[in-house]
């Protein structure tokens, strides 16, 4: 903090002091805040008084008060903010530094220490912990210097207090792999200074410091080698007689710790590379929480590191609280007490008050640790006062259910207790109705179960069902729940009525098959033969109705390829205006269009221009009438062949008109005609021909290929080519658009987001046709949603949501892009199979690819590579040629038999991997080879008297046989050296130097 003058610093020193000063003189000495500053402060204070949950208003007020040097008001503003929100690392350090600069008395210094304690409990911050231990160490040193002059009890920090602070710091930061050494180094330096001041050193203190070192080298951290070196120096100075024995044991501990560090180094590097992203932390936590490597303190520290960066991600808090609950119940002796668990639960709801799961966990922990009912009621009132929770009915429903569940478990089962339980549910219903109600009616369903069970009031249960059945009539699960309740109440007749009601509206239910199966099972158990017959017939009839409804729905969205249209028979024109073309022309639907228009014009020559523009243009062209055109236009040529000035357009629905197509394609040039084909009855697909004035314009319009035209269809645009061979097969799938203009992709969503909540948000910009949410953790890409609109204008309006803050996260809204439509909806295995099938088809059509050559060609290539092998022994050469000829004579389709291939392999593959492998090859032991031919282990060296001729046959490299030819002609038997190339291997094989040992 920078003070404006010394007087303002004196004012700061008055904070918390009991001395009386003349404030008038000091206040006159400093600059008073301006009127604008005071007005801004008053406005912010009024805003916070009306709505205290505005985080930005708190920070703005603190900034203005600090700039105005209004320290008392600044302290109050910080305290008010910290009652509602946890403060960030920067806000805490700014506050602590201000208080440290103003602290002169012992009370003020103790107040600074209390601020450090509060700051370290909210988030794990190495920066705050380091500042804390340094401040405590400074106060300890000052107290030690003036200890003789001070009275007892006036010491701010003594040795015991400092040791406790160091231990707490090591407890929370010791397993912070990248930065824990910054805290531990301060502690060990302090202990070594105390030990060095003793003469002689106390054995107890030496043992204590030694244990500190041993504990430290067992924890993975980046300065492990430096710590081990410091331990070695410590043992040399204080226990030299046990140095060798102790350091040998310590080396084993350090080696195990290095292994732990190496296993986590990749995760730490991933955190650095991704900027400590939530996905990187999730992967890291998943690794640490595996049963075989779960370590409580290390995992807890990692959770604290994660929430220090991602404090607004509820899933991390939920995993953290669940982890602490499981550890606390599984085993006693962890460095954990109920107060710490409750503290973490409280921190979670302060950071993410909109998450109902966190409130539910907190209620459960308070009940588990037997907290008073007044405390639980106060917590419930605190939850209902949060505006972010009230804005999310589904999350609010979780809190209300947790509260009602607590009342059900704690109240007595007498009439008074039942009245309290019912009153709790009624209050919860009023609260959820005041915010719009829960569309899933989870609170009401829970209430129904309690009414039918512990409260034993079936009439109330049925009455509640009647009130919510309109909301849940499309859910098969709700119908089955109703049936289960009636069966539990012992009323099979009412259960049968429920099945009949569901059967009557089967088309509206999401999964009617489940209800029909449950009905038949119910009648088998409880019904008579006539009742079972009625259930069977009614369910089958209803199922047929459902199947017909589904088929009609699917038919509306069905894709019909252009080839499915029947070719229309040509209609003889009434009057021929031009001689028949000499070239054969393919008959198509344009014959009907042109001939009918010719007949229409001739029969009614006075027809008006009240037709569509396209029909007018084509009629004029067909009759040679130039009344409406300043210059004649060339006719639409649809003869067999490719027409460079005409585009074939397909894959659109009946809502597309010729006027829309012409307007769309006019961006790329002058459209002369837009001829749209009307499909026959029962057909669902349209197509059209669009003729441009020049071929260049038609080719430019190909940019519209893949343009989204609604119904998740991509416009198919290509140059018109009426050759039958170039058409798509009849079973071709419709192309998908490259970029959707009717659908948006929304990322950055909370994993707990509901489709209804997102639908309400999107509706503020445009009414969506459909909203689909895919829930998945951040490690798998995060939760995303697909929002579909009826028009491009609605989708364009909804793009404005990009960058909007929703449920504590920032949304990213973009148009949906179909990356690979061909593989849309396929699993990974299906994609691999499809790729393999396509690859096989290409090989079969193209006559094979590289790597799949004809065996004869491969053998010729092998012969080319073996030209450097010279066989001096005629017998060996003849044997080799005979084997090669036999291999060439074998047909390609002959069955494969185990045989020794003598084709050359790359020298690298024949090189022994080590000296030991070469020795094994000589002794005939199996050795694996990296080559593709027969492994070296299939042969063993044969004892032979190798002559100089054989040695020279290796092509000049005779070093490998030099040892065996030392006593030429002496008749000595020896084992030749292992071949080092395929040339040596081939020569040695053909000469009998290697003997086959296995097939």
């Amino acid at each position: 903090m920078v003070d404006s003058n010394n007087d303002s610093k004196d004012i700061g020193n008055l904070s918390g002091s009991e001395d009386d000063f003349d404030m008038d003189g000091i206040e006159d000495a400093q600059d008073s805040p301006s009127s604008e500053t005071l007005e801004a402060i008053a406005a912010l204070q009024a805003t916070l008084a009306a709505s205290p949950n505005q985080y930005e208003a708190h920070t703005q007020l603190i900034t203005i008060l600090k700039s105005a040097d209004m320290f008392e008001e600044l302290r109050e503003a910080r305290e008010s903010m910290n009652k509602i929100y946890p403060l960030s690392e920067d806000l805490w350090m700014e506050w602590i530094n201000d208080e440290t600069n103003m602290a002169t008395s012992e009370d003020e210094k103790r107040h600074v220490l209390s601020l450090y304690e509060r700051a370290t409990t909210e988030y794990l911050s190495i920066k705050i912990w380091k500042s804390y231990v340094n401040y405590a160490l400074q106060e300890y040193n000052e107290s030690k210097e003036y200890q003789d002059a001070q009275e007892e009890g006036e010491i701010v920090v003594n040795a015991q207090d400092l040791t406790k602070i160091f231990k707490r710091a090591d407890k929370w930061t010791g397993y912070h792999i990248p930065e824990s050494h910054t805290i531990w180094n301060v502690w060990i330096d302090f202990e070594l200074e105390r030990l060095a001041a003793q003469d002689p050193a106390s054995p107890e203190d030496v043992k204590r410091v030694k244990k500190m070192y041993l504990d430290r080298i067992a924890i993975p951290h980046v300065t492990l080698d430096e710590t081990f070196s410091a331990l070695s120096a410590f043992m040399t100075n204080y226990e030299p007689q046990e140095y060798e024995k102790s350091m040998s044991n310590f080396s084993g501990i350090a080696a195990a710790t290095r292994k732990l560090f190496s296993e986590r180094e990749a995760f730490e590097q991933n955190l650095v590379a991704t900027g400590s992203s939530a996905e990187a932390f999730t992967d890291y936590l998943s690794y640490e929480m595996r049963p075989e490597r779960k370590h409580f303190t290390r995992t807890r520290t990692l959770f604290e590191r994660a929430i220090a960066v991602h404090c607004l991600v509820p899933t991390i808090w939920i995993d953290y609280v669940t982890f602490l609950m499981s550890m606390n119940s599984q085993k006693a002796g962890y460095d954990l007490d109920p107060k710490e668990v409750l503290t973490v639960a409280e921190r979670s709801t302060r950071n993410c008050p909109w998450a109902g799961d966190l409130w539910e966990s907190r209620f459960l922990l308070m009940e588990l640790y037997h907290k008073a009912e007044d405390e639980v009621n106060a917590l419930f009132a605190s939850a209902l006062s949060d505006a972010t929770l009230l804005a999310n009915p589904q999350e609010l429903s979780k809190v209300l259910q947790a509260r009602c569940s607590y009342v059900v478990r704690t109240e007595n089962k007498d009439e008074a207790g039942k009245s309290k339980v019912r009153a709790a549910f009624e209050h919860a219903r009023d609260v959820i109705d005041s915010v719009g109600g829960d569309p899933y009616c989870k609170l009401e369903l829970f209430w129904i179960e309690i009414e039918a069970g512990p409260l034993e009031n079936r009439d109330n249960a049925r009455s509640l069902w009647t009130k919510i059945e309109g909301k849940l009539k499309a859910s098969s699960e709700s119908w089955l729940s109703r049936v289960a309740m009636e069966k539990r109440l012992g009323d099979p007749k009412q259960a049968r009525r429920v099945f009949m009601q569901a059967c009557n509206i089967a088309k509206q239910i999401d999964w009617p098959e489940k209800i029909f199966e449950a009905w038949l099972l119910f009648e088998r158990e409880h019904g008579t033969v006539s009742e079972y017959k009625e259930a069977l017939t009614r369910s089958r009839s209803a199922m047929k109705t459902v199947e017909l409804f589904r088929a009609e729905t699917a038919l509306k969205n069905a894709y019909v390829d252009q080839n499915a249209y029947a070719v229309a028979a040509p209609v003889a024109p009434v009057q021929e205006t031009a001689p028949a073309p000499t070239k054969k022309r393919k008959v198509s639907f344009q014959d009907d269009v042109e001939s009918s228009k010719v007949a229409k014009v001739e029969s009614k020559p006075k027809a008006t221009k009240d037709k569509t523009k396209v029909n007018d243009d084509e009629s004029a062209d067909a009759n040679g009438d130039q009344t409406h055109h300043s210059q004649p236009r060339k006719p639409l040529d649809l003869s067999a062949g490719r027409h460079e000035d005409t585009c074939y357009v397909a894959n659109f629905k009946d809502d597309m008109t010729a006027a829309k197509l012409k307007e769309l394609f006019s961006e790329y040039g002058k459209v002369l005609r837009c001829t749209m084909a009307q499909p026959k009855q029962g057909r669902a697909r349209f197509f059209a021909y669009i003729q441009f004035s020049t071929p260049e314009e038609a080719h430019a319009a190909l940019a519209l290929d893949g343009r989204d035209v609604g119904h998740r269809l991509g416009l198919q645009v290509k140059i018109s080519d009426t050759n039958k061979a170039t058409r798509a097969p009849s079973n071709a799938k419709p192309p998908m658009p490259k970029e959707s203009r009717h659908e948006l992709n929304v990322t950055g969503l909370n994993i707990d987001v509901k489709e209804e909540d997102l639908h309400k948000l999107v509706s503020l910009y445009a009414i969506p046709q459909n909203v689909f949410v895919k829930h998945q953790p951040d490690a798998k890409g995060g939760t995303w949603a697909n929002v579909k609109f009826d028009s491009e204008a609605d989708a364009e309006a909804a793009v404005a949501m990009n960058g909007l803050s929703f449920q504590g996260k920032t949304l990213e809204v973009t148009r949906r892009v179909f990356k690979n439509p061909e593989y849309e909806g396929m699993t990974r295995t299906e994609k691999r199979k499809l790729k393999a099938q396509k690859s096989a088809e290409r090989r079969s059509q193209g006559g094979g690819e590289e790597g799949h050559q004809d065996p004869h060609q491969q053998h010729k290539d092998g012969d080319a590579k073996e030209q450097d092998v010279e066989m001096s022994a005629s017998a060996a050469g003849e044997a080799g040629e005979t084997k090669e000829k036999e291999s060439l004579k074998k047909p390609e389709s002959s069955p494969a038999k185990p045989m020794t291939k003598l084709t050359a392999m790359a020298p690298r593959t024949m090189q022994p991997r080590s000296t030991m492998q070469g020795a094994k090859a000589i002794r005939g032991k199996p050795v694996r080879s990296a080559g593709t031919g027969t492994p070296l282990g299939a042969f063993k060296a044969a004892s032979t008297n190798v002559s100089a001729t054989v040695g020279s046959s290796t092509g000049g490299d005779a070093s490998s046989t030099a040892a065996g030819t030392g006593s030429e002609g002496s008749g000595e038997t020896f084992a030749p050296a292992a071949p080092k190339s395929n040339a040596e291997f081939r020569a040695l094989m053909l000469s009998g130097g290697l003997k086959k040992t296995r097939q």
Side-chain angles (χ1 to χ4, degrees):
M1 170 180 170
V2 179
D3 296 327
S4 59
N5 48 48
N6 293 332
D7 292 299
S8 63
K9 183 175 181 180
D10 294 335
I11 293 175
N13 291 334
L14 293 175
S15 302
S17 176
E18 298 179 356
D19 298 333
D20 295 331
F21 291 90
D22 184 8
M23 298 295 297
D24 296 336
I26 298 177
E27 290 178 356
D28 294 338
Q30 67 175 358
D31 296 333
S32 60
S34 63
S35 59
E36 292 81 1
T37 302
L38 294 177
E39 291 177 0
I41 292 174
L44 288 172
Q45 289 176 343
T47 301
L48 292 174
S51 179
N53 292 327
Q54 297 190 22
Y55 187 88
E56 295 297 333
H58 281 286
T59 56
Q60 292 175 10
L61 179 60
I62 290 174
T63 302
I64 295 176
L65 291 174
K66 182 177 174 61
S67 62
D69 292 339
M70 302 174 66
F71 299 112
E72 287 298 331
E73 292 80 357
L74 177 60
R75 180 180 295 171
E76 293 177 1
R78 284 166 169 164
E79 291 287 354
S80 299
M81 182 179 181
N82 192 233
K83 288 180 181 179
I84 302 175
Y85 295 108
L87 304 184
S88 64
E89 179 185 86
D90 294 336
L91 289 176
W92 271 119
M93 290 304 302
E94 183 180 313
W95 187 1
I96 291 173
N97 290 335
D98 291 344
E99 296 289 349
T100 302
N101 294 333
M102 295 186 296
T104 56
S105 64
E106 284 78 8
D107 291 338
E108 292 171 343
K109 292 180 179 180
R110 290 191 180 93
H111 176 64
V112 173
L113 293 174
S114 67
L115 289 179
Y116 273 119
E117 287 290 331
R118 291 168 57 184
T120 54
T121 57
E122 291 196 340
Y123 299 116
L124 175 60
S125 172
I126 298 296
K127 182 178 180 181
I128 294 178
W129 272 111
K130 186 176 181 180
S131 178
Y132 186 15
V133 297
N134 286 331
Y135 180 80
L137 184 61
Q138 177 184 348
E139 292 298 326
Y140 169 77
N141 292 331
E142 292 180 0
S143 301
K144 186 177 180 182
E145 292 177 3
Y146 300 101
Q147 187 173 6
D148 296 336
Q150 291 178 344
E151 297 179 0
E152 184 68 23
E154 294 184 355
I155 300 176
V156 178
V157 178
N158 55 31
Q160 291 77 13
D161 295 335
L162 185 60
T163 302
K164 290 180 180 179
I165 294 173
F166 276 126
K167 288 184 177 180
R168 284 193 65 246
D170 183 65
K171 170 184 176 180
W172 292 102
T173 67
Y175 281 85
H176 195 297
I177 294 179
E179 301 180 19
S180 61
H181 62 280
T182 60
I183 309 297
W184 193 82
N185 289 342
V186 178
W187 185 15
I188 195 64
D189 292 342
F190 168 73
E191 295 293 346
L192 291 176
E193 289 179 2
R194 293 180 61 185
L195 198 62
Q198 300 177 10
D199 190 18
S202 171
E204 292 78 8
D205 291 341
V206 172
K207 184 177 180 180
R208 179 171 53 83
V209 176
K210 178 182 176 181
K211 185 178 183 303
M212 287 178 57
Y213 273 112
L214 292 180
D215 293 341
R216 184 60 180 167
I217 64 172
I219 298 175
H221 58 284
V222 295
T223 59
L224 177 61
D225 294 336
E226 290 81 353
T227 305
F228 189 79
S229 300
L231 173 60
S232 177
F234 175 82
M235 294 297 297
T236 302
N237 294 333
Y238 293 98
E239 292 184 355
Q241 65 280 4
E242 299 182 3
Y243 179 86
E244 295 294 338
K245 180 180 179 181
S246 299
M247 292 306 296
S248 176
N249 296 331
F250 299 162
S251 298
I253 299 175
T257 307
R258 289 189 185 94
K259 182 180 178 181
L260 294 175
F261 176 77
S262 63
E263 292 173 351
R264 288 153 181 82
E265 188 174 10
F267 293 100
E268 294 291 345
Q269 293 175 354
N270 189 30
L271 288 175
V272 176
T274 59
S276 299
S277 65
E279 294 79 3
F281 272 116
T282 302
D283 295 340
Y284 200 169
L285 286 167
S286 300
Y287 176 81
E288 286 289 358
M289 294 180 68
R290 293 180 182 177
E292 65 272 14
R293 59 175 60 87
K294 185 180 292 186
H295 186 279
F296 173 74
T297 309
R298 186 166 58 235
T299 307
R300 181 180 64 179
T301 302
L302 186 57
F303 268 116
E304 290 289 344
R305 292 174 59 187
I307 62 178
V309 182
H310 304 284
C311 58
L312 300 180
V313 181
T315 53
I316 298 180
W317 282 107
I318 293 172
D319 293 341
Y320 188 16
V321 174
T322 305
F323 167 74
L324 294 179
M325 293 169 61
S326 63
M327 291 293 100
N328 192 44
S329 61
Q330 287 180 3
K331 179 180 178 182
Y334 286 112
D335 190 12
L336 182 69
D337 56 34
K339 183 178 179 181
E340 291 182 358
V341 180
L342 289 173
T343 301
V344 173
E346 179 185 3
R347 292 165 55 200
S348 68
T349 54
R350 293 187 68 194
N351 284 272
C352 302
W354 62 85
D357 292 323
L358 296 176
W359 287 104
E360 183 179 7
S361 299
R362 192 173 174 187
F363 278 118
L364 180 61
L365 287 170
M366 294 191 72
E367 183 181 359
L368 184 64
Y369 294 131
H370 308 289
K371 295 298 179 180
E373 184 178 356
D374 295 339
E375 296 184 33
V376 178
N377 293 334
L379 177 61
F380 180 65
S382 175
L384 295 185
S385 64
D386 190 271
T388 59
L389 180 63
L390 296 176
N392 194 332
Q394 296 185 32
E395 296 299 320
L396 177 62
S397 177
K398 297 178 182 179
V399 178
L400 297 175
Q401 291 181 66
R403 166 65 177 167
C404 294
S405 177
Y406 169 79
V407 175
V408 170
R409 288 191 296 269
T410 55
E411 291 297 333
N412 297 325
K413 306 306 178 184
D414 54 8
E415 292 300 325
K418 292 180 179 179
S419 299
K420 291 183 179 179
V421 171
R422 190 170 288 111
F425 275 107
E426 291 175 352
H427 176 258
R429 181 186 59 186
D430 295 339
V431 172
I432 197 70
D433 289 342
S434 65
V435 296
D438 181 9
Y440 297 102
C441 303
K442 293 183 179 180
L443 176 65
E444 289 83 351
L445 292 173
F446 179 36
W447 190 1
I448 291 171
E449 293 295 326
I450 298 301
E451 288 284 358
L455 299 184
E456 300 176 350
N457 193 329
R458 64 176 65 185
D459 293 334
N460 282 354
R462 288 170 179 162
S463 176
L464 290 172
W465 263 114
T466 304
K467 293 179 180 179
I468 67 172
E469 64 181 0
K471 295 182 180 180
L472 303 178
K473 65 180 180 179
S475 173
S476 58
E477 294 295 335
S478 65
W479 287 102
L480 295 178
S481 299
R482 175 74 183 277
V483 171
M485 184 195 72
E486 297 296 344
K487 291 172 63 177
R488 188 167 61 252
L489 294 176
D491 194 346
K493 293 183 178 180
Q494 187 64 29
R496 187 174 291 108
R497 293 192 190 99
V498 174
F499 278 124
M500 292 180 180
Q501 294 175 6
C503 185
N504 293 334
I505 60 170
K507 292 195 297 184
Q508 305 178 29
I509 301 177
D510 54 1
W511 199 346
E513 291 90 339
K514 293 179 63 176
I515 298 178
F516 298 153
E517 293 174 1
W519 190 6
L520 295 177
L521 181 61
F522 171 80
E523 295 297 350
R524 293 188 188 106
E525 295 177 358
H526 305 281
T528 61
V529 61
S530 60
E531 291 170 342
Y532 178 71
K533 182 198 71 172
E534 182 180 3
L536 185 63
T537 55
R538 293 190 62 172
S539 61
R540 288 177 177 175
S541 176
M543 195 63 222
K544 285 187 177 180
T545 304
V546 171
E547 292 174 352
L548 181 60
F549 173 75
R550 291 173 178 173
E552 292 176 352
T553 304
L555 184 60
K556 294 179 181 179
N557 301 325
Y559 169 77
V560 181
D561 191 74
Q562 178 186 0
N563 293 335
Y565 287 96
V567 179
V571 178
V574 176
Q575 179 180 358
E576 279 190 58
T577 59
T582 56
K583 184 178 180 181
K584 284 189 176 182
R585 171 182 167 180
K586 183 175 180 178
V587 180
S588 64
F589 74 93
Q590 281 79 9
D591 293 292
D592 292 336
V593 176
E594 300 293 339
S595 59
S596 62
K597 291 178 181 178
V598 170
K600 190 171 185 180
V601 172
E602 291 187 354
S603 61
K604 295 181 181 181
K606 295 183 180 181
T608 61
K609 296 189 292 180
D610 292 336
K611 302 179 182 179
T612 61
K613 188 174 181 180
V614 175
N615 290 341
D616 283 343
D617 294 343
E618 295 188 2
S619 299
D621 288 337
N623 292 278
D625 186 8
Q626 305 296 333
T627 304
H628 306 293
H629 303 283
S630 59
Q631 58 181 0
R633 302 185 317 186
K634 55 185 178 181
L636 180 63
D637 183 14
L638 290 180
S639 59
R642 182 178 177 89
H643 308 283
E644 300 294 339
D645 61 346
T646 305
C647 288
Y648 167 75
V649 184
N651 203 41
F652 52 84
K653 288 289 186 177
D654 54 357
D655 57 353
M656 180 65 70
T657 62
K660 291 182 181 180
L661 281 176
K662 191 168 184 178
E663 180 182 0
L664 182 62
F665 280 83
S666 295
E667 301 177 2
Y668 297 90
K670 184 179 180 180
V671 177
L672 300 182
R673 290 180 185 82
C674 178
T675 306
M676 180 181 291
Q678 299 296 330
K680 294 186 177 182
Q681 185 176 3
R683 302 299 185 182
R685 188 171 179 237
F686 295 71
F687 59 95
Y689 287 95
I690 297 179
Q691 185 181 20
F692 287 89
S693 59
T694 63
E696 291 75 14
E697 295 173 349
H699 283 270
L702 295 179
L704 291 174
D705 185 55
R707 172 70 175 264
D708 180 26
V709 290
H711 308 284
R712 197 167 285 184
L713 293 175
L715 200 65
Q716 183 180 0
V717 182
K718 58 184 180 181
I719 298 300
S720 175
D721 191 350
T722 56
N723 288 326
K724 189 172 183 179
T726 60
R727 291 186 179 182
S730 59
N731 59 350
K733 294 184 178 180
M736 298 283 284
K738 298 177 181 177
E739 179 183 76
S740 176
R741 306 184 71 85
H742 295 74
E743 299 181 53
L744 297 181
N745 188 48
V746 184
T747 58
L749 290 169
N750 194 308
I751 194 172
D752 299 323
V753 68
K754 306 299 181 184
E755 291 184 1
E756 292 76 13
D757 298 336
L758 186 59
H759 190 282
K760 292 179 181 178
L761 176 65
V762 177
S763 299
L764 298 177
Y765 299 85
I767 302 301
Q769 183 185 26
N770 182 42
V771 176
F772 171 76
V773 178
K774 176 64 175 179
H775 299 275
Q776 58 185 12
D778 293 338
K780 296 183 178 180
T783 302
W784 57 270
N786 176 258
V787 185
K788 188 176 181 180
F789 297 90
D790 292 325
S791 64
E792 296 183 20
D794 291 344
E796 184 67 27
V799 175
M801 294 189 302
N802 187 36
L804 183 69
S805 180
F806 179 61
Q807 294 186 357
K809 300 192 74 174
T810 303
L811 301 183
E812 295 182 9
V813 183
T814 57
R815 293 192 180 276
R816 181 177 181 184
V817 177
F818 298 93
K819 297 181 179 179
N820 196 339
E822 187 177 4
Y823 300 138
E824 187 79 13
M826 289 188 177
T827 63
R828 187 176 299 177
T829 303
E830 292 172 345
K831 292 179 183 179
R832 286 198 296 263
K833 290 182 178 179
L834 181 58
K835 291 179 181 179
Q837 181 180 357
K838 290 184 176 182
S839 178
E841 291 176 356
R842 287 195 300 267
R843 287 196 298 269
S844 62
Q845 295 175 2
E849 297 178 353
E850 185 177 359
H852 298 81
Q853 300 176 0
D854 186 75
H856 300 279
Q857 183 65 30
Q858 291 182 356
H859 187 76
K860 293 178 180 179
D861 295 341
D863 291 342
K865 295 178 182 177
E866 295 169 3
Q867 292 178 0
D868 60 336
V869 181
E870 298 180 2
M871 302 297 295
S872 59
S874 59
E878 293 175 359
E881 292 176 1
T882 302
K883 292 183 178 181
E884 289 177 359
K885 292 179 180 179
E886 290 177 357
S887 63
L888 288 175
K889 292 179 181 179
K890 290 185 179 180
E892 185 178 356
S893 59
S894 59
K897 296 181 180 180
M899 60 177 295
T900 303
K901 295 183 179 180
L902 300 180
T903 56
M905 294 177 287
R908 177 181 62 82
T909 60
M910 293 304 302
Q911 181 71 22
R913 296 183 180 179
S914 63
T915 307
M916 182 62 67
Q917 287 186 349
K920 289 181 179 181
I922 297 300
R923 294 193 298 269
K925 294 184 178 180
V927 179
R928 292 189 176 183
S929 173
T932 57
T934 305
L936 287 179
F939 302 92
K940 69 177 182 178
S943 299
T944 180
N945 187 4
V946 183
S947 63
T949 305
V950 175
S952 63
S953 67
T954 61
D957 187 5
S959 59
S960 60
T961 57
T965 57
S967 55
E968 183 178 356
S970 62
E972 296 180 10
T973 302
F974 67 98
K980 296 182 179 179
S981 66
N982 30 330
E984 291 186 22
F985 173 77
R986 184 177 179 81
L988 197 59
M989 178 66 192
L990 296 177
S991 63
L994 293 177
K995 181 180 179 182
K996 187 73 176 295
T997 59
R998 70 165 183 255
Q999 296 295 330

